[in-house]
Amino acid sequence: MSIPLLDLKAQYLTIKDDIDQAIQRVLDSSKFVLGPEMRAFEEEMAAYCGVKEAVAVGNGTDALLLALRGFDVGPGDEVITTPFTFFASAETIAALGATPVFVDIDPVTLNMDLDQLESKITPRTKAIIPVHIFGQMVDVERVMEIAARHDLKVLEDSAQAIGANYRGRKAASIGHAGTFSFFPTKNLGAYGDAGMIVTDDEALAAHLRMLRFHGCQTKYYHDEIGYNSRMDELQAAILRVKFKHIDEWNAARREKAQIYNELLAGLPLTLPGIDPEGTPVFHLYVLRTEKREELMAALKEQGIGTAIYYPVPLHLQRAFRDLGYNEGDLPVAEKACSQAMALPCFPELTLEQQKEIVSVIKKVLK
Ligand SMILES: *Cc1c(COP(=O)(O)O)cnc(C)c1O
């Protein structure tokens, strides 16, 4: 029995009629960009997150980029983030001419280590990007307290964390703004690229709506240099169908994670460390082991999909070599990158499949 890391086809089949109708609805309307589906989805997402504004854009990377532009981040500024994340969290800082500054991670949650955060703040720091890695939230209220002391902006990279919460507050709703990615493999995935920024700041939202449309408020009158980055109507219509299921799907992911925790207990593995104040959404179920290569090979032999998140911490990426970091600078992140691997953990995964995965793991570790 082969088990993929993620089974998007299985998910499509559970909602096929609704998806097919939504796509047909867009084709019949022949409105494809900046239309009613996008606007309706913006309203639905703002309500879900409990914030005033949502601005739909082309992808999660552009969501970060535009939000940072909205914070006026540019050359000479520093932005603090984590080295244990997808490249885009820091790429967007550098793309605006600012300097990413990396703070090491907490060895339990693998999120930004807030005890070290304040020591990275300098007079040039402009913003902080906490990333809710694998769908588990950072304590953003604490980040906001630190940010307030230094007059900094906070942007929650919630690409992996839609629906997660911390002390009852939703991901992306606590910082000055928060971003989502709807890349197909995310918990709420489009059938192409899509992203969103949410915020309570109406002036920021208005600025972001201009930035996504060539810096323009009235067509053909451009007030500043912007971007071409909108969520298209097909993606918005598809996402609105899938959005109705997100809480149920996230709950199913939590259930699968709990089953792994029980089945894998007692083995020489580091299971995902959960902050009891939060409710994660397990975008990925990532364990850590010194036997990663053996485990991945054995699982692969049985047709079971796994993946490494992340093989290289961002401070040691070639693209950031000019920042001057060396091996050993951020030891917790470096160690996590040498040990972390993700197991299949998606809503349609069956108990039988989980038992099979665990039996292969047990054979290797016994
Ligand atoms: C996926 C992801 C992004 C980028 O989103 P795209 O839609 O692929 O551009 C940014 N940050 C994190 C943490 C991600 O996982």
Side-chain angles (χ1 to χ4, degrees), residues 59-61 64 85-86 88-89 131 157 159-160 181 183 186 194 310:
N59 54 68
T61 304
L64 291 165
T85 176
F86 180 61
S89 308
V131 182
D157 183 344
Q160 303 184 0
S181 164
F183 186 76
K186 300 287 154 85
Y310 290 91

Side-chain angles (χ1 to χ4, degrees), residues 134-137 163-165 250 253-254 274-275 278-283:
F134 308 143
Q136 170 162 231
M137 281 181 72
N165 65 67
N250 281 340
R253 284 171 182 269
R254 273 195 293 276
I274 301 308
D275 181 337
T279 307
V281 294
F282 288 95
H283 170 58

Side-chain angles (χ1 to χ4, degrees), residues 1-3 348-357:
M1 179 169 62
S2 101
I3 309 169
E348 299 77 19
L349 187 70
T350 66
L351 180 58
E352 196 189 18
Q353 289 175 319
Q354 286 194 277
K355 284 181 173 162
E356 183 181 330
I357 293 164

Side-chain angles (χ1 to χ4, degrees), residues 276-290:
E277 302 259 26
T279 307
V281 294
F282 288 95
H283 170 58
L284 293 167
Y285 183 91
V286 174
L287 48 79
R288 282 170 285 165
T289 165
E290 276 160 25

Side-chain angles (χ1 to χ4, degrees), residues 244-257:
K244 294 193 178 80
H245 301 275
I246 190 62
D247 286 339
E248 156 209 334
W249 285 339
N250 281 340
R253 284 171 182 269
R254 273 195 293 276
E255 199 181 293
K256 315 295 164 190

Side-chain angles (χ1 to χ4, degrees), residues 27 126 134 137 142 144 165 283 312 343:
L27 298 182
K126 189 90 167 237
F134 308 143
M137 281 181 72
R142 187 167 163 212
M144 289 296 280
N165 65 67
H283 170 58
V312 182
L343 297 180

